[in-house]
Amino acid sequence: MTQRLYDYGALLQKVFREYLLLQSISDEQQNQILALFKKQFTVRSGVGVKMGKGLRPKSLSVDDYRLLWKALTKEPGNSLALAQLLMLFLGLTAEEVCALDSEDLLPIPNYRAYQLRITKRCVPIKKNDNDKNYIISGELPSSESYRNVPVPFLLVKLILQSAQAPQKPLFCYDKTGQRIKVNELQAEYRKLFRDFKKSFLEYHRDDGQAVRIQVSFRPENYRQSCRHFWQFLCGLQQNEIRYLGGLAQIDTAGQHYIDFNNAHKQYHMCVQMSYGLMAVAAPGTLPPKMPNGPLERKHHIDGVFNHILHTRLYIRRPCTVTITSAHGVTIKTEEGCLRWESENL
């Protein structure tokens, strides 16, 4: 119950008491009736946890993603920030991110795109109460956890700077050059959301005590939110989402017949994820540039969330047309298809 609703209930209680006095009802009966009203009108003491769990958001909004993207890209060379970006947009766990090596960033065959090979994780070994070491283990929780995750184009530009040297951890500390630790990455990730905006709900329990519970997004729900991002902003199908999340497929086609490691499938998922990330990181900042001159015609095309964009141009007289695209374009003419890709990928 909110504060306003509680005040409204207190006002109704006064009105009921005045009405009961006019009916010549004894004080004992009045107290019994008002106690019953108050019990039905207020929240029981043990309901607060259920309220907070039910009202807590399960996914981040587009505006929230934009704020987090800006916060994590202030320092392009910060390894901890890049590792958190992989957790936020690729759904990787902290153990999987810390175990990545430069050789795990592979090009998608026949395409100008990249994928991350997830085959190992960092496992902590506790020597004593004050010392923790980590080893790289090839044992993942399930067979579905072994997967290739395509990397959106905007993330590739940031990661390639950290993957120049082979046989080297993909993310390491700038000063020491050692692999980043799982516990420190998890602490930074929790700190990121701790400094993020929070929402609270205030209500009164049946004993009259005012209680304030937090109903904001929790960092441990980031993988669930990432699946919402893939579905509603990137337009991926459920079997693709389950593959990227390292989950078992729920249908026969996804289990036995669809090859998610195929280069064409990887590139398709990479393009869709790139569209979604572009809408978050750079909305409306990548319009095509039209040729200059006295007959200049400008046409602005926004980023697409779910499908590849199809645009038809009617040219009624000879002219020169210049088309630029952030992710490539296929031009169909009477003589066939012409493939063109930007050099700025």
Side-chain angles (χ1 to χ4, degrees):
M1 181 190 300
T2 62
Q3 180 66 39
R4 179 176 297 180
L5 190 58
Y6 181 81
D7 295 339
Y8 178 67
L11 177 62
L12 286 181
Q13 186 176 2
K14 294 180 181 179
V15 173
F16 286 166
R17 182 174 290 278
E18 293 295 332
Y19 174 77
L20 294 175
L21 288 174
L22 294 176
Q23 301 300 321
S24 300
I25 299 177
S26 64
D27 294 340
E28 184 179 355
Q29 290 178 330
Q30 290 183 31
N31 293 333
Q32 292 178 355
I33 296 174
L34 292 174
L36 180 62
F37 164 77
K38 183 178 179 181
K39 182 178 180 181
Q40 296 296 327
F41 201 77
T42 54
V43 179
R44 295 191 300 274
S45 301
V47 181
V49 176
K50 296 181 179 179
M51 290 173 57
K53 185 177 180 180
L55 295 175
R56 188 177 302 127
K58 308 300 186 297
S59 61
L60 294 165
S61 65
V62 176
D63 292 335
D64 294 339
Y65 273 118
R66 287 173 180 167
L67 291 174
L68 292 171
W69 172 268
K70 291 180 180 179
L72 293 173
T73 53
K74 289 181 180 179
E75 302 177 12
N78 189 334
S79 297
L80 281 174
L82 291 177
Q84 293 174 73
L85 283 174
L86 295 191
M87 296 175 63
L88 188 63
F89 291 102
L90 301 186
L92 303 181
T93 64
E95 292 82 2
E96 293 172 343
V97 173
C98 292
L100 288 173
D101 294 321
S102 298
E103 60 184 9
D104 293 323
L105 183 63
L106 303 171
I108 299 177
N110 303 320
Y111 293 99
R112 299 179 62 184
Y114 289 85
Q115 58 188 347
L116 281 172
R117 179 178 54 193
I118 310 300
T119 57
K120 52 189 181 295
R121 62 173 178 168
C122 274
V123 181
I125 298 181
K126 197 170 184 181
K127 288 186 175 181
N128 51 55
D129 294 338
N130 299 323
D131 187 18
K132 276 189 177 181
N133 285 340
Y134 292 87
I135 63 171
I136 306 300
S137 172
E139 183 180 356
L140 294 179
S142 62
S143 59
E144 290 81 11
S145 300
Y146 297 89
R147 61 202 187 278
N148 291 324
V149 179
V151 185
F153 301 134
L154 292 178
L155 280 180
V156 167
K157 293 181 179 181
L158 300 175
I159 298 175
L160 283 177
Q161 301 176 3
S162 302
Q164 296 178 356
Q167 303 294 333
K168 174 186 174 183
L170 187 59
F171 300 114
C172 54
Y173 299 106
D174 297 333
K175 295 182 179 180
T176 62
Q178 296 181 351
R179 188 185 305 270
I180 62 175
K181 297 181 180 180
V182 176
N183 57 344
E184 294 188 10
L185 176 58
Q186 291 174 336
E188 285 292 324
Y189 201 61
R190 287 192 296 267
K191 182 178 181 298
L192 175 69
F193 284 91
R194 187 167 61 247
D195 298 339
F196 197 54
K197 62 180 183 180
K198 297 186 180 300
S199 300
F200 295 91
L201 173 67
E202 295 183 355
Y203 68 98
H204 285 76
R205 299 189 308 198
D206 53 0
D207 57 1
Q209 182 179 358
V211 181
R212 189 168 179 255
I213 58 174
Q214 182 179 335
V215 294
S216 56
F217 182 84
R218 290 193 174 182
E220 56 265 24
N221 294 338
Y222 77 96
R223 301 195 75 194
Q224 182 178 0
S225 179
C226 193
R227 293 194 284 270
H228 283 266
F229 170 76
W230 291 334
Q231 180 176 0
F232 297 109
L233 269 75
C234 303
L236 294 177
Q237 302 298 320
Q238 281 298 323
N239 50 11
E240 297 171 332
I241 293 172
R242 296 189 69 84
Y243 171 81
L244 294 176
L247 305 173
Q249 295 292 338
I250 57 176
D251 59 346
T252 303
Q255 290 178 358
H256 302 290
Y257 303 116
I258 300 178
D259 182 11
F260 296 98
N261 295 311
N262 179 275
H264 179 72
K265 190 70 172 177
Q266 283 281 314
Y267 183 71
H268 165 75
M269 291 189 292
C270 181
V271 170
Q272 294 300 115
M273 294 167 69
S274 298
Y275 282 143
L277 184 57
M278 182 179 67
V280 169
T285 60
L286 300 172
K289 295 180 180 179
M290 303 302 286
N292 298 323
L295 298 178
E296 179 181 357
R297 296 289 185 272
K298 293 184 178 180
H299 184 59
H300 179 83
I301 302 175
D302 292 325
V304 182
F305 292 179
N306 299 327
H307 303 287
I308 297 177
L309 180 65
H310 297 273
T311 301
R312 181 174 297 176
L313 299 177
Y314 292 95
I315 302 176
R316 303 185 183 276
R317 59 182 178 178
C319 65
T320 301
V321 178
T322 302
I323 301 175
T324 61
S325 171
H327 305 302
V329 61
T330 299
I331 302 176
K332 294 185 177 181
T333 66
E334 294 179 355
E335 314 215 342
C337 294
L338 301 176
R339 178 68 184 174
W340 176 91
E341 290 187 351
S342 172
E343 296 296 333
N344 297 322
L345 282 176

